[in-house]
Amino acid sequence: METVRGHIVIGITGGIAAYKTMTLIRLFKKNGYEVKVVATAHAMEFVTRTTIETLSQNPLCVDIFDHGKPYDVQHIALADWADALVVAPATANIIGKYAHGIADDLLSTILLACQCPVFMAPAMNDKMYAEPTVQHNIELLRQKGCHIISPQSGFLACGSEGTGRMEEPEAIAEQVTKTLEGPQPLKGRKVMITAGPTYEPIDPVRFIGNRSSGLMGFSLAEAAANMGAEVTLVTGPTNLVTSHPNIHRVNVETAEEMYQQCMCVQETQDIMIMSAAVADYTPANPAPEKIKKTEGQLTLELSKTKDILASIGKVKRHDQILVGFALETEHERENALKKLHNKNADMIVLNSLRDKGAGFGTPTNKVFMITKDEQTIESDLKSKAEIARDILNVICNINKQLS
Ligand code: CTP
């Protein structure tokens, strides 16, 4: 399973700047977005289907009546799928059509059907751009909430110099990302997150593990990265995939490996969130060869693993925030408070076991966030991605109080 940062539909219209849009597709893909491209017939005079499909890794859509595709109301499906629609380059024609509600091809139809933020990067000859009707249409689009990414001045493909050159792909990508992801309260902060289970070897083929999927930790990593943090994700074995460029993933298997990796980086971190389900015990003497079955019983001797949360709690500075997780079956709040103080954490996230749909192996969760001053913030039952944002918002508040 892959965590995708968001869905972007890129609309390409017929201008020479369309070649630069190939870089824009590449940038969004590199930054972890899924990209689908819709091009007008005129755009296809400037770029090729092969380039677009290879870069976006999705089929290109041009024709509103594309009979080769499985039946789907394509313009509605794409409009619903998109988290953002970016038209680059945007010709005077598409600007005029969108401003006046004309829908006579796939792209102009999607524009009218979509509810997500729309970005337009105009590109045209300087005289066309300055023409009062074009300027009026751009103003109409601004008024209806469309984000206009203004063209730059410089040398134009038609040979003249003036304002009309499409903004550079890097700047377009940055503006779209900023708008989609909102403020970045963790910009410049380093966040370490542990996730998943640990596997403790019994012999070369067997291990003691647990049912943690890692989803809560991965959702936290994604949310922290989206808030601008530089994330180190130390994870036990899971099928999850990360795509955000700000997440540095460190794979481990055992509690000891997780401990070593965390201790290596903890000193440089601003925030540390221990969401991994670390084994409390590990086989004392893992067998070097596969254990053969015998008639009698098999007894495994287990020794205690190092408690990573408590170890970091012992060395952490006042300007570092340490967050632990707890899963209790009785005296939940009391036990969570004990854990909070004993391990010198700034917050404990208590998983609710009483609610269906919360805890291990579920896509949803419900938690109680208990802070050092013993205040409790209760969440609703919601997706782990939303819970992750709630947890990080509380952490941001603690962070504000520290600085
Ligand atoms: N934890 C850790 N290292 C361990 C065990 C746990 O860092 N070796 C962290 C978990 O990631 C979690 C928190 O400690 O953030 C709570 O773990 P839990 O196993 O519930 O707590 P314990 O201290 O083991 O207490 P108990 O077993 O009594 O519930």
Side-chain angles (χ1 to χ4, degrees):
M1 193 180 127
E2 184 164 7
T3 46
V4 175
R5 207 169 163 191
H7 296 161
I8 295 190
V9 169
I10 296 184
I12 311 178
T13 63
I16 181 64
Y19 82 91
K20 287 193 192 173
T21 310
M22 302 306 103
T23 306
L24 186 62
I25 300 170
R26 182 78 201 92
L27 284 171
F28 280 129
K29 289 291 292 178
K30 193 171 137 226
N31 290 342
Y33 290 96
E34 194 174 350
V35 175
K36 291 187 180 176
V37 177
V38 179
T40 63
H42 286 168
M44 295 313 291
E45 297 290 323
F46 296 93
V47 283
T48 72
R49 178 178 285 275
T50 313
T51 313
I52 293 170
E53 294 191 339
T54 307
L55 290 173
S56 70
Q57 294 169 302
N58 267 315
L60 165 69
C61 309
V62 179
D63 189 353
I64 197 160
F65 301 111
D66 197 341
H67 299 295
K69 302 257 162 63
Y71 181 74
D72 200 354
V73 186
Q74 220 188 142
H75 60 287
I76 303 294
L78 275 170
D80 287 348
W81 180 85
D83 296 315
L85 178 45
V86 185
V87 183
T91 55
N93 186 42
I94 194 77
I95 291 169
K97 286 203 288 188
Y98 185 35
H100 296 280
I102 296 168
D104 62 354
D105 62 5
L106 184 58
L107 180 58
S108 52
T109 313
I110 291 173
L111 276 165
L112 293 192
C114 79
Q115 303 284 313
C116 65
V118 174
F119 298 80
M120 288 244 173
M124 65 198 80
N125 163 272
D126 56 330
K127 292 181 193 68
M128 280 176 81
Y129 183 66
E131 203 278 329
T133 321
V134 173
Q135 284 303 314
H136 175 66
N137 287 341
I138 288 177
E139 194 44 44
L140 284 178
L141 291 187
R142 276 209 179 93
Q143 282 168 18
K144 68 175 184 174
C146 174
H147 302 264
I148 301 293
I149 303 174
S150 297
Q152 299 300 302
S153 333
F155 184 72
L156 302 171
C158 54
S160 61
E161 261 198 79
T163 303
R165 203 169 72 179
M166 187 175 88
E167 178 56 285
E168 292 304 320
E170 289 76 11
I172 297 175
E174 196 186 323
Q175 194 165 325
V176 174
T177 309
K178 264 194 184 156
T179 310
L180 282 187
E181 293 177 355
Q184 303 240 296
L186 294 178
K187 184 111 199 137
R189 298 281 167 181
K190 288 192 168 168
V191 178
M192 180 181 83
I193 296 167
T194 66
T198 62
Y199 284 0
E200 308 301 322
I202 296 170
D203 67 18
V205 292
R206 303 181 181 95
F207 59 84
I208 299 175
N210 61 65
R211 293 186 200 279
S212 166
S213 66
L215 186 58
M216 193 62 244
F218 276 63
S219 302
L220 280 162
E222 199 81 17
N226 283 339
M227 288 181 177
E230 210 179 293
V231 179
T232 303
L233 175 65
V234 184
T235 177
T238 126
N239 292 328
L240 299 174
V241 176
T242 47
S243 51
H244 200 298
N246 289 6
I247 301 176
H248 170 60
R249 176 176 178 161
V250 181
N251 291 321
V252 297
E253 286 231 335
T254 63
E256 178 61 25
E257 284 168 12
M258 191 173 271
Y259 170 84
Q260 294 298 342
Q261 292 297 336
C262 289
M263 294 316 275
C264 265
V265 293
Q266 55 81 22
E267 210 183 325
T268 58
Q269 304 299 306
D270 298 296
I271 296 163
M272 290 165 278
I273 311 174
M274 308 287 123
S275 71
V278 189
D280 286 329
Y281 293 92
T282 188
N285 301 300
E289 305 297 337
K290 188 176 168 218
I291 300 172
K292 299 299 281 180
K293 139 169 111 247
T294 54
E295 285 309 313
Q297 286 189 340
L298 175 71
T299 306
L300 283 177
E301 194 189 334
L302 302 177
S303 52
K304 242 179 145 183
T305 57
K306 291 173 189 143
D307 189 321
I308 307 167
L309 177 62
S311 308
I312 296 178
K314 278 194 191 124
V315 295
K316 94 174 180 81
R317 301 184 307 270
H318 289 298
D319 62 342
Q320 292 177 302
I321 298 174
L322 180 62
V323 176
F325 271 67
L327 197 137
E328 306 286 347
T329 51
E330 51 181 359
H331 309 297
E332 292 102 323
R333 195 179 137 80
E334 214 177 302
N335 284 337
L337 276 173
K338 253 191 228 158
K339 216 166 271 180
L340 178 83
H341 296 306
N342 291 347
K343 299 194 187 191
N344 192 27
D346 297 278
M347 179 162 94
I348 288 283
V349 180
L350 174 62
N351 278 295
S352 163
L353 265 188
R354 296 184 190 278
D355 292 87
K356 232 179 149 203
F360 270 5
T362 61
T364 51
N365 206 2
K366 177 177 165 71
V367 297
F368 298 86
M369 291 164 267
I370 307 174
T371 54
K372 214 172 183 171
D373 51 7
E374 304 199 355
Q375 287 194 40
T376 304
I377 303 148
E378 184 180 348
S379 79
D380 296 327
L381 179 73
K382 42 191 171 178
S383 74
K384 285 185 173 166
E386 288 171 290
I387 295 279
R389 283 196 288 273
D390 286 355
I391 294 171
L392 282 157
N393 282 331
V394 176
I395 293 173
C396 285
N397 278 337
I398 302 175
N399 189 36
K400 259 191 236 149
Q401 287 159 22
L402 286 183
S403 48

